[in-house]
Amino acid sequence: MATTTSLDTSSITYGHTGPVLKLENVAIAYKVRGGEIEAVQNVSFEINRGESHGLVGESGCGKSTVAWAVVNFLGANGYVKRGSIRFLGRELTGRSGEDLRRLRGDQIAMVYQDPMQALNPSLRLGDQLKEVLTVHRGMADAEAARRSIEMLERVYMPDAADVMRRFPHQISGGQQQRVVIAMALLNNPALLIMDEPTTALDVTVEAAVLDLIADLRREFDTAIMYITHNLGVVARVCSKVGVMYAGEMVERGLVEQIFKRPQHPYTQGLMRCVPKLGADKASSMLYPIRGRVPPPHSRPIGCVFGPRCDYAQERCRMERPALRTMPNGVQVRCHFAEDIDPSQWQPHEDVELPTLREVVASEPILEVQHLKKYYEVSGSTIKDILGLRPKSYVKAVEDATFTVQKGRTLGVVGESGCGKSTLIKTIIGLEDSTDGKAEFMGFDITGNIASRDIKLIQELQMVFQNPDSTMNPSYTVGQQIGRPMVRFKTVPKKQVRDEVIKILQAMRLGETYYDRLPRQLSGGEKQRVGIARALASHPNLVLCDEPVSALDVSVQAAILNLLLDAQSKLGTTMVFIAHDLSVVRFFSDDVAVMYLGQIMEIGPAEAIYAPPYHPYTEALLSAVPIPDPTAAQKHIRLEGSVPSALNPPSGCRFHTRCPQRHFAPEGGAVCATQIPPWQETDNGHKIFCHIPLETLRTFDPVISHKEKD
C-alpha cells in the first residue's frame, strides 16, 4: 500500500467535482545504457468518484507501469516523459518528490497482487493497521485500534479482534489480502489502485474479495483503478475498461459495450482466447493471438499491433493510428475499426490449431481405489517425545476412488488445500500412499518410487505449475528435453538432436531454441519446454499440475491447444489440475471435485456443469468470474475457511460450510454425524451427498443470461 506523510486534503477531496484521476497523453520512459526507452506512450483516461476502471492486456503491455507512475514508484531510472497526471484537479507531473508525498498523503492507496509485499512479517497485524492512523492522522492508540477492528469487520474478516493479535503468517492468503484492503481504506482514500489483487486466490476467496470491492466502491464512493489479465474479473467489478497493448491504450469504453462488441482486433483476439464456462473442446476452439508483444525498443513504425493483426493493410504498417471516438462512444486506436466485422473473422494461416479426435470408451489405464495419504504431525511436548500422546495425522487425501480411461482427460478442481496436488504426487510417486490401491497399466504404483521399473517411470510423466523450479538453469533447452530420450532409450543417441527439434517444432518453438538457456525464454516458452520434456519419453499418462494458471490468456490458449494436439496425435491420457473451472470444463472429458481430501462429485464434464450439482460444486461455479456482463450468476458464497485436515469435521466434511444443508434429512443434522452415501445419476455421474438427487435436480442452473437487446 502506498501512503506517505499526512496532509489535510479535505478541501481538495470534497471540493473537487471533476475526475478523481485524469491522465492525458502520458508517456513513461526509463533511462537505459545508451539512451531511454518509452514503456508507455500516449495513454489517456479518467476515473470518476465511485467508478471502477479496469486495465487489461497481456504481460508487458504497460498496465502496472501506469499505476506506478500515479504513485511515483517508477524507480530511479523511470519518469513521466510527457503528458499530464491530475489527481483531484492537481497536477502531479513535474513536482518534487516531497511535494508529491505531501499532496498525496493518505489520499491514494495501492493493493498489490502479493499481500506480503505490504505486510511486515515481524509485526502483529494490529500494529501495522494502527500505524496508518497514528502516523498519518495523529490518532491515539486506543482509538486507532477500535477503528482498525471496525474496518476489518467491514471487509468481512472473521474474529477481527483476534486477527489484530496475529502475525501475517498466521492467517490465510485471502485473509492477508483483506487486511491489506482494510489498511488501504483506513484513511478513506479518494483513489484505490489494485494490481492483480485476486490472481493468487482460490475462486471462492476471489469471489468474496470481488464482492468486497464492489461494496467498497458503493459505500465509500471510492475511485478504483483495477489492473488484471482476467476478463471475467473486469466484467464482474468494473464499469469501464481500457485495453492496453505495447504501452498504448487501444480501446476504452463501458464494459458492456466492449464485451458485447469489441471493435479493436486486439480486444477481439483476447476474447477468442478465453474459454467460456460450459464450452468444451468438441464444440468450441481457442484461438491464440499469433506472435508476441513487441519490446519497447523494437516497436513497429506503424500500428503497434500490426504484425499480429489479421486485418493489417499497408496503411497499418506505415502510419500510427490515433485513438478515435466511435459513434457509440467507445474509443478505438485502429484505422479500420468501422469496417471490421468480428463474426466474419477467420484464423490466420500462421495459427496452428489442434487436430481433435473422438474419444471412445476404452479400458481404464489408471484405477484408484480408496487411496489415502496421511502426514504424521510430530508434537514437541514431553508426552509427544515419549510417545504418550496418540499420533496426529493430516488427512490430505481420504478414500479417493476413480478410474481414467485411455486417451481421456480427468480434470480435478477444488480450493487450495483440498488435496488435488497431493493426489497426483501420490500417483506419480513423489509421495508414498498411506493406504488403498492404485494401478497404472496393471502395475501397482503405491509403493516407493525407487522400486518402480524404469519402463513404468517412462510411461508416467508430469508437467508442473512453475517451470523455473523444474528446469536446470545451466543446461540448454535441447539438453533438458533430450535427457529423457537418452535415459529411457526411446531413440538412438545419434537421433536425439533430430527428435528434440521435432518436439520443439511441435511446441511451436523451432530449432533455434535448442541451444538457448532457460533465462532466455519467456514464461510461456518455458512452460512449452516443460511440456516437451514430459512428452519426450512418449508417456501413456501425463499429470498436469496447474500448467496454465500463471500465463496470459493468449499463451494459455496456445498451451491448451498444444496439449490437446499432443493428446490427439499420441493418444496420451491426462490428469489435469486447475483452479479455473472454465479451463477445466473446456479441456477435460471427466471432472472430479475435491474438498478437504475427499472427492465430492465425479463424472463426465457436461454432467458436472449442469444440475444436479453437489452443493460445493454449485458454490464453485457461482464464484467463477465470467467474461460476459450479460450473464446472470447465482450469488452463493461459502462462509468461513476450509477446516483443518488435521481434524476434519465428522460426517460430511463439507457440512460446516454447506449453504444447502437444510435440504438434507433431519434438517441437515444427519450431515454432521453420518458419512454421505454415493448417489449415481445417468452416465456415471456420482455425487457424495445426503441431499436426495430429486431435490438436487430442482436447483436452478448457476448461470443464466439476461435478455439481450
Side-chain angles (χ1 to χ4, degrees):
M1 182 191 70
T3 56
T4 55
T5 57
S6 175
L7 180 69
D8 183 5
T9 56
S10 58
S11 61
I12 302 172
T13 305
Y14 301 107
H16 181 70
T17 57
V20 173
L21 180 69
K22 185 173 184 178
L23 280 71
E24 291 184 287
N25 297 317
V26 170
I28 302 167
Y30 287 91
K31 295 177 182 177
V32 295
R33 183 178 299 175
E36 67 174 17
I37 57 171
E38 287 193 11
V40 170
Q41 298 176 324
N42 308 319
V43 168
S44 300
F45 65 92
E46 61 184 44
I47 309 176
N48 297 305
R49 188 172 295 282
E51 186 175 88
S52 180
H53 189 289
L55 288 182
V56 299
E58 296 170 279
S59 296
C61 284
K63 307 184 300 294
S64 295
T65 303
V66 171
W68 294 337
V70 175
V71 296
N72 193 27
F73 193 51
L74 292 171
N77 65 329
Y79 61 99
V80 177
K81 183 178 180 180
R82 61 179 179 272
S84 170
I85 301 177
R86 299 181 72 87
F87 170 63
L88 296 171
R90 302 287 295 275
E91 181 62 52
L92 300 185
T93 60
R95 291 177 176 265
S96 68
E98 183 60 29
D99 283 346
L100 288 171
R101 284 191 290 271
R102 294 183 67 249
L103 173 63
R104 292 189 175 112
D106 54 11
Q107 290 300 301
I108 300 177
M110 189 163 182
V111 177
Y112 298 93
Q113 177 176 346
D114 180 5
M116 288 306 294
Q117 288 183 347
L119 296 175
N120 188 326
S122 63
L123 292 179
R124 296 184 188 275
L125 294 167
D127 293 334
Q128 299 184 59
L129 286 160
K130 289 186 296 182
E131 184 180 34
V132 176
L133 297 170
T134 57
V135 172
H136 298 301
R137 292 294 176 89
M139 192 175 292
D141 187 81
E143 176 64 12
R146 185 186 66 80
R147 287 278 304 277
S148 297
I149 292 174
E150 287 179 355
M151 186 56 72
L152 286 175
E153 291 172 345
R154 296 280 282 278
V155 298
Y156 310 118
M157 177 68 74
D159 200 3
D162 181 63
V163 168
M164 292 280 286
R165 295 189 290 269
R166 298 184 189 179
F167 289 91
H169 71 274
Q170 294 176 310
I171 60 175
S172 68
Q175 290 175 330
Q176 289 174 357
Q177 197 62 285
R178 294 187 196 196
V179 169
V180 173
I181 293 172
M183 195 183 300
L185 293 166
L186 275 173
N187 285 327
N188 192 15
L191 175 65
L192 180 61
I193 301 173
M194 313 193 83
D195 191 357
E196 299 273 15
T198 62
T199 299
L201 303 180
D202 282 324
V203 64
T204 51
V205 179
E206 177 184 53
V209 172
L210 295 179
D211 290 345
L212 170 62
I213 292 168
D215 291 343
L216 296 175
R217 181 165 60 91
R218 290 189 296 267
E219 185 175 348
F220 289 87
D221 207 26
T222 304
I224 298 175
M225 181 196 297
Y226 197 101
I227 298 168
T228 181
H229 68 272
N230 190 323
L231 297 174
V233 170
V234 170
R236 177 173 290 184
V237 302
C238 296
S239 48
K240 293 182 180 178
V241 60
V243 182
M244 292 192 66
Y245 179 78
E248 291 186 341
M249 187 77 74
V250 296
E251 187 166 7
R252 179 177 179 267
L254 297 175
V255 166
E256 289 211 7
Q257 288 179 310
I258 290 183
F259 275 80
K260 184 177 181 179
R261 192 180 187 281
Q263 293 179 261
H264 194 282
Y266 178 60
T267 311
Q268 296 168 12
L270 290 178
M271 299 288 188
R272 287 190 287 263
C273 291
V274 182
K276 294 178 173 59
L277 188 66
D280 60 25
K281 57 192 174 186
S283 62
S284 62
M285 187 74 71
L286 300 182
Y287 299 96
I289 304 173
R290 57 196 175 94
R292 63 170 66 181
V293 180
H297 63 273
S298 60
R299 290 175 181 144
I301 298 173
C303 175
V304 290
F305 187 62
R308 304 176 74 189
C309 181
D310 297 327
Y311 304 98
Q313 301 181 29
E314 184 63 26
R315 182 183 177 188
C316 304
R317 287 184 279 272
M318 302 305 297
E319 180 185 340
R320 183 71 60 92
L323 191 66
R324 300 181 291 123
T325 302
M326 309 300 287
N328 62 354
V330 174
Q331 295 177 304
V332 183
R333 193 182 297 275
C334 178
H335 291 305
F336 306 106
E338 301 92 333
D339 306 324
I340 295 173
D341 183 359
S343 65
Q344 301 301 312
W345 175 84
Q346 293 293 325
H348 192 274
E349 59 184 12
D350 290 345
V351 176
E352 299 187 45
L353 301 174
T355 302
L356 301 181
R357 61 180 179 84
E358 184 179 356
V359 179
V360 296
S362 59
E363 291 296 318
I365 193 172
L366 176 66
E367 295 184 85
V368 177
Q369 297 288 330
H370 308 293
L371 189 68
K372 297 180 181 180
K373 175 57 185 176
Y374 293 174
Y375 295 97
E376 184 177 343
V377 178
S378 301
S380 57
T381 66
I382 294 297
K383 288 186 177 181
D384 292 317
I385 295 172
L386 296 178
L388 302 177
R389 193 193 303 272
K391 294 181 178 180
S392 299
Y393 297 92
V394 172
K395 299 177 180 179
V397 176
E398 182 74 66
D399 201 33
T401 299
F402 61 89
T403 61
V404 183
Q405 293 180 341
K406 183 173 177 57
R408 292 177 70 86
T409 297
L410 172 68
V412 185
V413 298
E415 296 170 283
S416 294
C418 71
K420 307 185 298 295
S421 294
T422 302
L423 174 63
I424 65 170
K425 286 178 181 177
T426 303
I427 291 172
I428 203 169
L430 295 177
E431 301 282 358
D432 295 333
S433 63
T434 303
D435 196 8
K437 297 172 62 178
E439 290 188 353
F440 171 61
M441 300 177 63
F443 294 94
D444 181 16
I445 56 173
T446 56
N448 192 300
I449 192 172
S451 62
R452 287 188 184 179
D453 184 88
I454 190 170
K455 182 65 176 176
L456 193 60
I457 296 174
Q458 174 188 341
E459 298 288 358
L460 189 58
Q461 293 294 312
M462 188 165 179
V463 179
F464 295 88
Q465 177 177 356
N466 182 7
D468 282 318
S469 64
T470 59
M471 295 179 69
N472 190 321
S474 303
Y475 285 80
T476 67
V477 166
Q479 289 173 317
Q480 300 194 52
I481 297 175
R483 187 175 183 276
M485 299 178 184
V486 176
R487 178 76 173 85
F488 300 120
K489 301 178 181 179
T490 55
V491 295
K493 282 189 176 182
K494 293 182 179 180
Q495 300 177 19
V496 167
R497 182 183 177 91
D498 292 338
E499 190 68 20
V500 170
I501 291 172
K502 286 182 182 178
I503 293 182
L504 285 172
Q505 291 171 339
M507 295 294 109
R508 322 288 194 258
L509 292 176
E511 184 176 356
T512 58
Y513 283 80
Y514 188 96
D515 294 314
R516 294 189 188 182
L517 293 170
R519 61 180 172 79
Q520 297 172 302
L521 308 180
S522 68
E525 289 169 342
K526 290 176 185 176
Q527 194 60 283
R528 294 182 191 207
V529 172
I531 294 170
R533 186 174 55 184
L535 296 175
S537 65
H538 300 163
N540 268 302
L541 177 62
V542 176
L543 308 177
C544 303
D545 189 3
E546 298 272 16
V548 297
S549 63
L551 304 178
D552 285 324
V553 290
S554 181
V555 180
Q556 172 183 278
I559 295 298
L560 291 175
N561 283 344
L562 285 172
L563 287 170
L564 288 174
D565 200 45
Q567 183 177 40
S568 177
K569 292 177 179 177
L570 303 176
T572 309
T573 309
M574 295 187 184
V575 177
F576 185 87
I577 289 178
H579 68 270
D580 188 329
L581 276 75
S582 301
V583 170
V584 171
R585 172 67 181 96
F586 171 81
F587 190 77
S588 304
D589 302 298
D590 305 285
V591 175
V593 183
M594 290 190 71
Y595 179 80
L596 204 60
Q598 287 189 325
I599 295 176
M600 294 292 176
E601 186 170 7
I602 189 169
E606 62 272 14
I608 298 293
Y609 286 74
Y613 310 106
H614 188 284
Y616 180 57
T617 307
E618 184 183 34
L620 290 178
L621 291 172
S622 72
V624 177
I626 301 174
D628 182 1
T630 66
Q633 210 168 354
K634 273 188 179 180
H635 190 276
I636 302 173
R637 298 293 181 262
L638 300 180
E639 297 183 357
S641 303
V642 179
S644 170
L646 186 62
N647 186 26
S650 59
C652 174
R653 292 190 172 187
F654 184 58
H655 83 265
T656 58
R657 303 173 74 201
C658 182
Q660 310 287 13
R661 179 180 171 184
H662 56 282
F663 286 106
E666 303 174 24
V670 66
C671 301
T673 58
Q674 298 181 25
I675 296 175
W678 277 104
Q679 303 181 78
E680 186 167 356
T681 68
D682 300 332
N683 199 22
H685 180 199
K686 299 179 181 179
I687 299 176
F688 190 57
C689 186
H690 285 293
I691 302 174
L693 281 178
E694 295 73 20
T695 303
L696 293 174
R697 286 192 178 98
T698 64
F699 293 173
D700 292 330
V702 168
I703 299 164
S704 58
H705 289 271
K706 306 171 187 175
E707 293 296 327
K708 296 186 178 181
D709 297 334

